[in-house]
Short mmCIF file of all heavy atoms in Angstrom, two decimals:
data_model
loop_
_atom_site.label_atom_id
_atom_site.label_comp_id
_atom_site.label_asym_id
_atom_site.label_seq_id
_atom_site.Cartn_x
_atom_site.Cartn_y
_atom_site.Cartn_z
N PHE A 178 0.87 -1.19 -0.05
CA PHE A 178 -0.01 -0.02 0.01
C PHE A 178 0.91 1.24 -0.02
O PHE A 178 1.78 1.42 0.88
CB PHE A 178 -0.90 -0.01 1.23
CG PHE A 178 -2.09 0.86 1.14
CD1 PHE A 178 -2.90 0.88 0.01
CD2 PHE A 178 -2.45 1.72 2.20
CE1 PHE A 178 -4.04 1.69 -0.08
CE2 PHE A 178 -3.56 2.53 2.13
CZ PHE A 178 -4.31 2.48 0.99
N ILE A 179 0.72 2.12 -1.04
CA ILE A 179 1.53 3.23 -1.21
C ILE A 179 0.71 4.57 -1.04
O ILE A 179 -0.26 4.73 -1.71
CB ILE A 179 2.24 3.23 -2.62
CG1 ILE A 179 3.05 1.95 -2.83
CG2 ILE A 179 3.13 4.47 -2.79
CD1 ILE A 179 3.62 1.79 -4.22
N VAL A 180 1.21 5.48 -0.19
CA VAL A 180 0.47 6.71 0.03
C VAL A 180 1.48 7.85 0.10
O VAL A 180 2.66 7.70 0.40
CB VAL A 180 -0.40 6.70 1.28
CG1 VAL A 180 -1.42 5.59 1.22
CG2 VAL A 180 0.44 6.58 2.54
N ARG A 181 1.02 9.10 -0.09
CA ARG A 181 1.79 10.27 0.08
C ARG A 181 2.02 10.56 1.55
O ARG A 181 3.13 10.75 1.99
CB ARG A 181 1.18 11.49 -0.56
CG ARG A 181 1.90 12.79 -0.47
CD ARG A 181 3.24 12.69 -1.20
NE ARG A 181 4.08 13.89 -1.00
CZ ARG A 181 5.00 14.01 -0.02
NH1 ARG A 181 5.15 13.02 0.86
NH2 ARG A 181 5.67 15.12 0.12
N GLU A 182 0.92 10.56 2.28
CA GLU A 182 1.01 10.74 3.76
C GLU A 182 -0.01 9.89 4.46
O GLU A 182 -1.22 9.89 4.12
CB GLU A 182 0.73 12.27 4.05
CG GLU A 182 0.78 12.57 5.58
CD GLU A 182 0.42 13.97 5.85
OE1 GLU A 182 0.31 14.79 4.92
OE2 GLU A 182 0.24 14.28 7.05
N ALA A 183 0.44 9.15 5.45
CA ALA A 183 -0.43 8.31 6.27
C ALA A 183 -0.72 9.06 7.52
O ALA A 183 0.10 9.39 8.30
CB ALA A 183 0.24 7.02 6.53
N SER A 184 -2.01 9.34 7.76
CA SER A 184 -2.44 10.10 8.97
C SER A 184 -2.28 9.25 10.22
O SER A 184 -2.69 8.08 10.28
CB SER A 184 -3.88 10.57 8.82
OG SER A 184 -4.34 11.19 10.01
N ARG A 185 -1.66 9.79 11.24
CA ARG A 185 -1.56 9.14 12.55
C ARG A 185 -2.72 9.38 13.44
O ARG A 185 -2.96 8.74 14.41
CB ARG A 185 -0.28 9.59 13.29
CG ARG A 185 1.00 8.87 13.06
CD ARG A 185 1.22 8.36 11.68
NE ARG A 185 2.57 7.73 11.56
CZ ARG A 185 3.04 7.45 10.42
NH1 ARG A 185 2.44 7.76 9.21
NH2 ARG A 185 4.25 6.84 10.24
N ILE A 186 -3.58 10.32 12.97
CA ILE A 186 -4.80 10.70 13.74
C ILE A 186 -6.03 10.12 13.05
O ILE A 186 -6.15 10.35 11.84
CB ILE A 186 -4.91 12.23 13.90
CG1 ILE A 186 -3.60 12.84 14.57
CG2 ILE A 186 -6.15 12.61 14.62
CD1 ILE A 186 -3.58 14.30 14.59
N ARG A 187 -6.83 9.42 13.75
CA ARG A 187 -8.08 8.94 13.18
C ARG A 187 -9.28 9.84 13.81
O ARG A 187 -9.57 9.84 14.96
CB ARG A 187 -8.32 7.52 13.55
CG ARG A 187 -8.22 7.04 14.96
CD ARG A 187 -8.38 5.55 15.11
NE ARG A 187 -8.57 5.12 16.48
CZ ARG A 187 -7.60 4.72 17.23
NH1 ARG A 187 -6.38 4.76 16.85
NH2 ARG A 187 -7.89 4.34 18.49
N SER A 188 -9.92 10.53 12.85
CA SER A 188 -10.93 11.52 13.22
C SER A 188 -12.25 11.08 12.82
O SER A 188 -12.94 11.75 12.02
CB SER A 188 -10.52 12.88 12.64
OG SER A 188 -9.25 13.24 12.90
N ASN A 189 -12.74 9.98 13.33
CA ASN A 189 -14.12 9.51 13.03
C ASN A 189 -14.62 8.67 14.16
O ASN A 189 -13.87 7.83 14.76
CB ASN A 189 -14.10 8.68 11.73
CG ASN A 189 -15.50 8.36 11.24
OD1 ASN A 189 -16.19 7.50 11.81
ND2 ASN A 189 -15.98 9.07 10.23
N PHE A 190 -15.83 8.93 14.63
CA PHE A 190 -16.43 8.26 15.78
C PHE A 190 -16.53 6.72 15.54
O PHE A 190 -16.62 5.99 16.53
CB PHE A 190 -17.79 8.88 16.11
CG PHE A 190 -18.88 8.49 15.23
CD1 PHE A 190 -19.75 7.45 15.47
CD2 PHE A 190 -19.09 9.12 14.00
CE1 PHE A 190 -20.74 7.04 14.69
CE2 PHE A 190 -20.05 8.78 13.12
CZ PHE A 190 -20.94 7.72 13.48
N ARG A 191 -16.52 6.27 14.31
CA ARG A 191 -16.68 4.87 14.00
C ARG A 191 -15.32 4.10 14.05
O ARG A 191 -15.33 2.88 13.97
CB ARG A 191 -17.34 4.63 12.69
CG ARG A 191 -18.77 5.20 12.61
CD ARG A 191 -19.29 5.32 11.20
NE ARG A 191 -19.42 3.99 10.59
CZ ARG A 191 -18.74 3.66 9.49
NH1 ARG A 191 -18.05 4.48 8.81
NH2 ARG A 191 -19.00 2.43 9.00
N ALA A 192 -14.21 4.85 14.11
CA ALA A 192 -12.87 4.25 14.00
C ALA A 192 -12.58 3.34 15.19
O ALA A 192 -12.79 3.74 16.31
CB ALA A 192 -11.77 5.30 13.84
N ALA A 193 -12.16 2.13 14.90
CA ALA A 193 -11.77 1.21 16.00
C ALA A 193 -10.28 1.15 16.17
O ALA A 193 -9.80 0.88 17.25
CB ALA A 193 -12.28 -0.26 15.61
N LYS A 194 -9.50 1.38 15.11
CA LYS A 194 -8.05 1.45 15.18
C LYS A 194 -7.52 2.31 14.02
O LYS A 194 -8.28 2.68 13.13
CB LYS A 194 -7.49 0.02 15.19
CG LYS A 194 -7.67 -0.75 13.90
CD LYS A 194 -6.93 -2.09 13.93
CE LYS A 194 -7.50 -2.99 15.00
NZ LYS A 194 -6.88 -4.34 14.94
N SER A 195 -6.22 2.55 14.09
CA SER A 195 -5.60 3.32 13.00
C SER A 195 -5.31 2.47 11.83
O SER A 195 -5.14 1.24 11.95
CB SER A 195 -4.30 3.98 13.50
OG SER A 195 -3.32 2.98 13.77
N LEU A 196 -5.15 3.13 10.67
CA LEU A 196 -4.80 2.35 9.42
C LEU A 196 -3.41 1.66 9.62
O LEU A 196 -3.24 0.53 9.22
CB LEU A 196 -4.71 3.30 8.25
CG LEU A 196 -4.24 2.71 6.91
CD1 LEU A 196 -5.10 1.63 6.43
CD2 LEU A 196 -4.13 3.82 5.87
N ASP A 197 -2.50 2.35 10.22
CA ASP A 197 -1.16 1.74 10.48
C ASP A 197 -1.25 0.47 11.26
O ASP A 197 -0.62 -0.55 10.85
CB ASP A 197 -0.27 2.82 11.17
CG ASP A 197 1.18 2.32 11.30
OD1 ASP A 197 1.78 1.99 10.27
OD2 ASP A 197 1.67 2.24 12.42
N LEU A 198 -1.94 0.47 12.36
CA LEU A 198 -2.10 -0.73 13.14
C LEU A 198 -2.88 -1.86 12.41
O LEU A 198 -2.56 -3.01 12.55
CB LEU A 198 -2.77 -0.40 14.44
CG LEU A 198 -1.97 0.40 15.42
CD1 LEU A 198 -2.91 0.77 16.69
CD2 LEU A 198 -0.75 -0.31 15.96
N TYR A 199 -3.82 -1.44 11.60
CA TYR A 199 -4.56 -2.42 10.84
C TYR A 199 -3.72 -3.18 9.84
O TYR A 199 -3.82 -4.40 9.69
CB TYR A 199 -5.73 -1.67 10.10
CG TYR A 199 -6.67 -2.48 9.30
CD1 TYR A 199 -7.61 -3.30 9.88
CD2 TYR A 199 -6.57 -2.41 7.89
CE1 TYR A 199 -8.49 -4.04 9.13
CE2 TYR A 199 -7.42 -3.20 7.11
CZ TYR A 199 -8.42 -4.01 7.74
OH TYR A 199 -9.32 -4.78 6.99
N LEU A 200 -2.87 -2.40 9.12
CA LEU A 200 -1.97 -2.97 8.14
C LEU A 200 -0.94 -3.89 8.83
O LEU A 200 -0.67 -4.99 8.35
CB LEU A 200 -1.28 -1.91 7.26
CG LEU A 200 -2.20 -1.09 6.32
CD1 LEU A 200 -1.34 0.01 5.68
CD2 LEU A 200 -2.83 -1.95 5.37
N GLU A 201 -0.46 -3.41 9.94
CA GLU A 201 0.53 -4.20 10.71
C GLU A 201 -0.03 -5.47 11.17
O GLU A 201 0.60 -6.54 11.07
CB GLU A 201 1.03 -3.39 11.85
CG GLU A 201 2.11 -4.11 12.73
CD GLU A 201 2.64 -3.29 13.93
OE1 GLU A 201 2.22 -2.09 14.00
OE2 GLU A 201 3.39 -3.75 14.71
N TYR A 202 -1.30 -5.42 11.64
CA TYR A 202 -1.91 -6.64 12.17
C TYR A 202 -2.12 -7.65 11.05
O TYR A 202 -1.97 -8.90 11.31
CB TYR A 202 -3.32 -6.29 12.76
CG TYR A 202 -4.14 -7.42 13.20
CD1 TYR A 202 -3.88 -8.07 14.43
CD2 TYR A 202 -5.17 -7.97 12.36
CE1 TYR A 202 -4.63 -9.14 14.84
CE2 TYR A 202 -5.90 -9.07 12.77
CZ TYR A 202 -5.66 -9.69 14.02
OH TYR A 202 -6.39 -10.79 14.44
N HIS A 203 -2.41 -7.24 9.89
CA HIS A 203 -2.61 -8.20 8.74
C HIS A 203 -1.39 -8.43 7.94
O HIS A 203 -1.45 -9.18 6.94
CB HIS A 203 -3.70 -7.62 7.81
CG HIS A 203 -5.07 -7.70 8.46
ND1 HIS A 203 -5.78 -8.87 8.57
CD2 HIS A 203 -5.91 -6.73 8.94
CE1 HIS A 203 -6.98 -8.58 9.08
NE2 HIS A 203 -7.04 -7.36 9.33
N GLY A 204 -0.20 -7.85 8.34
CA GLY A 204 1.02 -8.17 7.66
C GLY A 204 1.17 -7.57 6.26
O GLY A 204 1.78 -8.09 5.41
N VAL A 205 0.52 -6.37 6.07
CA VAL A 205 0.58 -5.72 4.75
C VAL A 205 1.63 -4.60 4.85
O VAL A 205 1.58 -3.75 5.74
CB VAL A 205 -0.81 -5.13 4.37
CG1 VAL A 205 -0.68 -4.35 3.07
CG2 VAL A 205 -1.83 -6.26 4.24
N VAL A 206 2.52 -4.57 3.86
CA VAL A 206 3.56 -3.53 3.89
C VAL A 206 2.95 -2.26 3.34
O VAL A 206 2.37 -2.18 2.28
CB VAL A 206 4.73 -3.92 3.01
CG1 VAL A 206 5.79 -2.84 2.95
CG2 VAL A 206 5.35 -5.26 3.48
N GLY A 207 3.19 -1.15 4.14
CA GLY A 207 2.74 0.15 3.68
C GLY A 207 3.95 1.12 3.51
O GLY A 207 4.88 1.03 4.31
N ILE A 208 3.86 1.99 2.51
CA ILE A 208 4.97 2.98 2.32
C ILE A 208 4.31 4.33 2.20
O ILE A 208 3.28 4.56 1.54
CB ILE A 208 5.68 2.66 0.98
CG1 ILE A 208 6.11 1.19 0.84
CG2 ILE A 208 6.93 3.55 0.84
CD1 ILE A 208 6.69 0.86 -0.47
N GLU A 209 4.96 5.32 2.87
CA GLU A 209 4.44 6.70 2.76
C GLU A 209 5.60 7.61 2.37
O GLU A 209 6.73 7.16 2.21
CB GLU A 209 3.85 7.18 4.10
CG GLU A 209 4.80 7.31 5.27
CD GLU A 209 4.16 8.02 6.47
OE1 GLU A 209 3.27 8.85 6.24
OE2 GLU A 209 4.56 7.68 7.54
N GLU A 210 5.34 8.93 2.25
CA GLU A 210 6.32 9.89 1.83
C GLU A 210 6.82 9.59 0.41
O GLU A 210 8.00 9.82 0.09
CB GLU A 210 7.43 10.06 2.82
CG GLU A 210 7.01 10.54 4.19
CD GLU A 210 8.14 10.83 5.12
OE1 GLU A 210 9.28 10.89 4.69
OE2 GLU A 210 7.85 11.02 6.33
N ILE A 211 5.91 9.03 -0.41
CA ILE A 211 6.19 8.74 -1.81
C ILE A 211 5.55 9.86 -2.66
O ILE A 211 4.46 10.29 -2.36
CB ILE A 211 5.67 7.41 -2.20
CG1 ILE A 211 6.35 6.26 -1.41
CG2 ILE A 211 5.88 7.08 -3.69
CD1 ILE A 211 7.84 6.11 -1.62
N ASP A 212 6.31 10.32 -3.68
CA ASP A 212 5.66 11.30 -4.61
C ASP A 212 4.74 10.53 -5.49
O ASP A 212 5.05 9.99 -6.60
CB ASP A 212 6.79 11.92 -5.44
CG ASP A 212 6.28 13.05 -6.38
OD1 ASP A 212 5.06 13.12 -6.52
OD2 ASP A 212 7.05 13.84 -6.88
N THR A 213 3.50 10.38 -5.01
CA THR A 213 2.49 9.52 -5.69
C THR A 213 2.07 10.15 -7.08
O THR A 213 1.69 9.43 -7.98
CB THR A 213 1.25 9.32 -4.83
OG1 THR A 213 0.82 10.60 -4.35
CG2 THR A 213 1.62 8.43 -3.64
N ARG A 214 2.13 11.48 -7.19
CA ARG A 214 1.83 12.11 -8.47
C ARG A 214 2.85 11.66 -9.54
O ARG A 214 2.46 11.31 -10.65
CB ARG A 214 1.80 13.58 -8.36
CG ARG A 214 0.65 14.15 -7.49
CD ARG A 214 0.68 15.68 -7.44
NE ARG A 214 0.33 16.19 -8.79
CZ ARG A 214 0.27 17.51 -8.98
NH1 ARG A 214 0.57 18.43 -8.03
NH2 ARG A 214 -0.06 17.95 -10.21
N ARG A 215 4.07 11.63 -9.11
CA ARG A 215 5.11 11.24 -10.13
C ARG A 215 4.99 9.73 -10.44
O ARG A 215 5.12 9.34 -11.58
CB ARG A 215 6.54 11.51 -9.49
CG ARG A 215 7.66 11.10 -10.44
CD ARG A 215 8.99 11.49 -9.75
NE ARG A 215 10.06 11.06 -10.65
CZ ARG A 215 11.34 11.22 -10.24
NH1 ARG A 215 11.68 11.76 -9.09
NH2 ARG A 215 12.33 10.87 -11.10
N LEU A 216 4.71 8.90 -9.44
CA LEU A 216 4.53 7.52 -9.61
C LEU A 216 3.31 7.25 -10.58
O LEU A 216 3.43 6.38 -11.48
CB LEU A 216 4.31 6.81 -8.26
CG LEU A 216 4.04 5.26 -8.32
CD1 LEU A 216 5.16 4.55 -9.07
CD2 LEU A 216 3.82 4.70 -6.90
N VAL A 217 2.24 7.87 -10.32
CA VAL A 217 1.05 7.71 -11.19
C VAL A 217 1.38 8.13 -12.65
O VAL A 217 0.92 7.44 -13.57
CB VAL A 217 -0.15 8.43 -10.57
CG1 VAL A 217 -1.33 8.45 -11.57
CG2 VAL A 217 -0.58 7.80 -9.29
N ARG A 218 2.02 9.22 -12.83
CA ARG A 218 2.36 9.70 -14.16
C ARG A 218 3.22 8.62 -14.86
O ARG A 218 3.04 8.33 -16.05
CB ARG A 218 3.09 11.03 -14.12
CG ARG A 218 2.22 12.25 -13.91
CD ARG A 218 2.91 13.52 -14.32
NE ARG A 218 4.19 13.70 -13.59
CZ ARG A 218 4.33 14.32 -12.50
NH1 ARG A 218 3.28 14.88 -11.87
NH2 ARG A 218 5.53 14.46 -11.86
N HIS A 219 4.10 8.03 -14.10
CA HIS A 219 4.98 6.97 -14.69
C HIS A 219 4.12 5.78 -15.09
O HIS A 219 4.30 5.20 -16.21
CB HIS A 219 6.07 6.56 -13.62
CG HIS A 219 6.97 5.54 -14.17
ND1 HIS A 219 7.96 5.82 -15.15
CD2 HIS A 219 7.18 4.20 -13.85
CE1 HIS A 219 8.65 4.75 -15.37
NE2 HIS A 219 8.17 3.74 -14.63
N ILE A 220 3.23 5.31 -14.27
CA ILE A 220 2.34 4.17 -14.63
C ILE A 220 1.48 4.57 -15.86
O ILE A 220 1.28 3.67 -16.67
CB ILE A 220 1.49 3.84 -13.36
CG1 ILE A 220 2.33 3.33 -12.25
CG2 ILE A 220 0.48 2.75 -13.79
CD1 ILE A 220 1.62 3.10 -10.98
N ARG A 221 0.91 5.74 -15.85
CA ARG A 221 0.05 6.14 -16.98
C ARG A 221 0.92 6.16 -18.29
O ARG A 221 0.34 5.81 -19.34
CB ARG A 221 -0.49 7.54 -16.70
CG ARG A 221 -1.72 7.52 -15.76
CD ARG A 221 -2.28 8.91 -15.59
NE ARG A 221 -2.78 9.44 -16.87
CZ ARG A 221 -4.01 9.28 -17.35
NH1 ARG A 221 -4.87 8.56 -16.65
NH2 ARG A 221 -4.35 9.76 -18.52
#
């Protein structure tokens, strides 16, 4: 999972946990601070 910025703050009353903990629990590698606009242009 690739994102520009991963929020450490969850601002919703329905949230049970953070995205970071969710990915860690399921063993999914996440990357942030990536220039996603540049990456998307490359893929296009």
